Amino acid sequence: AGAPVDFADVVCAPFPVAVIASILGIADEDLPELRRISDDVVEAFKLTQPENRAASAIVDLVSKRRVIESIMGAGMRFPAAAGAFLRGLTAVTQRLAGGERWAEDVARSPRAVAELQKICAALVRTRRRTPGDDLVSKLLAEHPDGHLSDSEIFFFFLLLLIAGHETTTNLLGNLVIALIAHPDEWRKLKDDPSLVPSAVRESLRYESPIQGF
């Protein structure tokens, strides 16, 4: 037996991002940055409203669907400008919120969204020139019902990253904890790897990675 490792850090967290990146056609060298971006974006869903009224009003404004769609659309066409706008808006919100811990946390998400848009926009430009066998190329392909806009592609990009990263990370961790607690099941799985799909499904039922919002 070798030295002990943190399974969550070595397998649970990086594995889902690697699979998502492969599906989207993102290069392996971008995986560490993509994982950091995903972690920061997920943090946005854990934020509460700031106590400062002005800061809260800004958060409410940028949470509206039309505003989000406008920012995302601009970000796909002009990622650098959209990133600068998001950073400026974050700085104003932080100043209004003062020394709250919330003000430190809120800076992570807009910056991550801007960085993700930059990656997505570059990938979309590349796949328009040279389509591949990845999901982004398929999303860009013409269909009888029309084609997706750049904003729609980015939202899909964002949804896949968020929905697939933390949920799968938690699923893998829960599965390992359950197998440690039930060594007989772990032995069955080692003796018959064909049971892995059933084990994954049972883990989803036994200890769901998402149990409400």
Side-chain angles (χ1 to χ4, degrees):
V5 298
D6 186 334
F7 184 80
D9 186 57
V10 174
V11 178
C12 296
F15 178 71
V17 176
V19 173
I20 293 168
S22 175
I23 292 171
L24 292 171
I26 298 174
D28 290 345
E29 55 265 28
D30 292 329
L31 288 181
E33 182 181 14
L34 192 64
R35 178 182 169 188
R36 177 187 58 77
I37 289 172
S38 180
D39 288 340
D40 287 350
V41 171
V42 167
E43 284 302 311
F45 293 91
K46 303 175 183 178
L47 291 173
T48 58
Q49 284 286 79
E51 294 179 4
N52 180 276
R53 288 185 179 180
S56 181
I58 292 176
V59 173
D60 287 340
L61 175 64
V62 298
S63 298
K64 295 184 182 300
R65 179 176 177 178
R66 286 189 178 183
V67 176
I68 292 174
E69 290 177 347
S70 298
I71 294 174
M72 296 302 101
M76 287 300 293
R77 295 191 298 274
F78 313 105
F85 171 76
L86 287 172
R87 287 191 296 272
L89 190 63
T90 301
V92 171
T93 309
Q94 284 182 298
R95 184 178 293 274
L96 291 170
E100 296 179 17
R101 173 58 191 271
W102 181 92
E104 299 174 13
D105 293 338
V106 75
R108 298 171 60 187
S109 182
R111 181 174 60 243
V113 169
E115 291 170 344
L116 187 61
Q117 281 188 307
K118 184 178 179 180
I119 292 175
C120 184
L123 185 59
V124 166
R125 287 195 299 269
T126 300
R127 289 296 176 262
R128 279 205 171 101
R129 293 193 301 269
T130 54
D133 193 36
D134 53 81
L135 183 57
V136 171
S137 296
K138 290 179 171 60
L139 292 174
L140 287 169
E142 290 290 340
H143 298 280
D145 296 330
H147 65 277
L148 297 176
S149 67
D150 287 357
S151 297
E152 289 171 325
I153 290 175
F154 175 73
F155 275 118
F156 188 91
F157 201 95
L158 182 64
L159 177 64
L160 183 60
L161 184 62
I162 295 173
H165 180 192
E166 187 166 11
T167 52
T168 308
T169 296
N170 294 340
L171 168 65
L172 292 172
N174 291 344
L175 176 58
V176 170
I177 291 172
L179 290 172
I180 291 173
H182 299 82
D184 290 343
E185 301 304 317
W186 174 231
R187 282 191 289 272
K188 290 179 184 177
L189 204 59
K190 287 196 296 183
D191 292 341
D192 186 1
S194 68
L195 295 174
V196 169
S198 297
V200 172
R201 289 192 292 270
E202 177 61 13
S203 180
L204 284 168
R205 184 203 66 80
Y206 181 74
E207 189 69 48
S208 174
I210 297 294
Q211 300 190 21
F213 293 91

